Amino acid sequence: MATYYASRVSSSNTALGAVIPARASEDLVSQVAEFTVGTALSTDTIQLFTVPVGATILDLYISSGGTQGANSDSVFTVGDGSSTARFITTAGGLCLRSGGGISRMNAHAGTGYVYTAEDTIDLLVTTVGTGQTTGGVIRAMVLYAPNR
């Protein structure tokens, strides 16, 4: 199982963590990350965002233009190092299908979750569909209130 990094996480998990994104305000921070599927995903982890201590998660979206052919769909969860499905459970992680789509935070545990240590928000592919294509883009958005 490999770990990949989206555009908002460095491989060392430190370079981007201390930088407050350009859309930061006094009350809310939004981050958008993209990951282009370069090789077929196989129960892999994609680290999407680094979130700081004290961040209260308000919402999270995953979208895809389609990373599958016409066969079965890949399924995923979105969570962090402590809980791999904290934000999106397998029931909601279906936007990697052939037509693409949007998956939104659907897990009660993630709503209003407050981070007590810096962590990453990760997409974990739990079921690999057949007919997976490369070159598809997975886009993610997280909205959180920082602890100031």
Side-chain angles (χ1 to χ4, degrees), residues 72-145:
S72 66
D73 298 337
S74 289
V75 180
F76 65 90
T77 62
V78 177
D80 54 35
S82 299
S83 174
T84 59
R86 185 181 308 282
F87 304 110
I88 297 178
T89 64
T90 55
L94 297 173
C95 73
L96 301 183
R97 62 182 174 253
S98 59
I102 296 176
S103 294
R104 188 173 183 181
M105 185 166 66
N106 70 340
H108 176 73
T111 304
Y113 181 78
V114 179
Y115 279 93
T116 57
E118 183 178 277
D119 203 345
T120 57
I121 294 178
D122 311 321
L123 183 146
L124 172 65
V125 178
T126 58
T127 304
V128 179
T130 57
Q132 188 176 81
T133 60
T134 59
V137 174
I138 298 170
R139 186 171 294 131
M141 186 281 300
V142 65
L143 180 66
Y144 65 87

Side-chain angles (χ1 to χ4, degrees), residues 6 9 31 34 37 39 44-45 48 50 60 63 78 84 91-92 101 109-110 129-130 142 148:
V9 177
Q31 291 189 46
E34 286 191 353
V37 179
T39 60
D44 294 326
T45 298
L48 299 169
T50 301
L60 185 136
S63 67
V78 177
T84 59
T130 57
V142 65
R148 298 211 186 247

Side-chain angles (χ1 to χ4, degrees), residues 14-95:
T14 56
L16 299 175
V19 177
I20 296 177
R23 288 182 290 278
S25 70
E26 290 298 317
D27 301 317
L28 296 176
V29 174
S30 66
Q31 291 189 46
V32 176
E34 286 191 353
F35 176 77
T36 301
V37 179
T39 60
L41 299 174
S42 174
T43 60
D44 294 326
T45 298
I46 302 168
Q47 292 185 340
L48 299 169
F49 308 105
T50 301
V51 288
V53 174
T56 302
I57 304 301
L58 304 174
D59 209 350
L60 185 136
Y61 293 85
I62 302 292
S63 67
S64 168
T67 61
Q68 294 294 134
N71 299 313
S72 66
D73 298 337
S74 289
V75 180
F76 65 90
T77 62
V78 177
D80 54 35
S82 299
S83 174
T84 59
R86 185 181 308 282
F87 304 110
I88 297 178
T89 64
T90 55
L94 297 173
C95 73

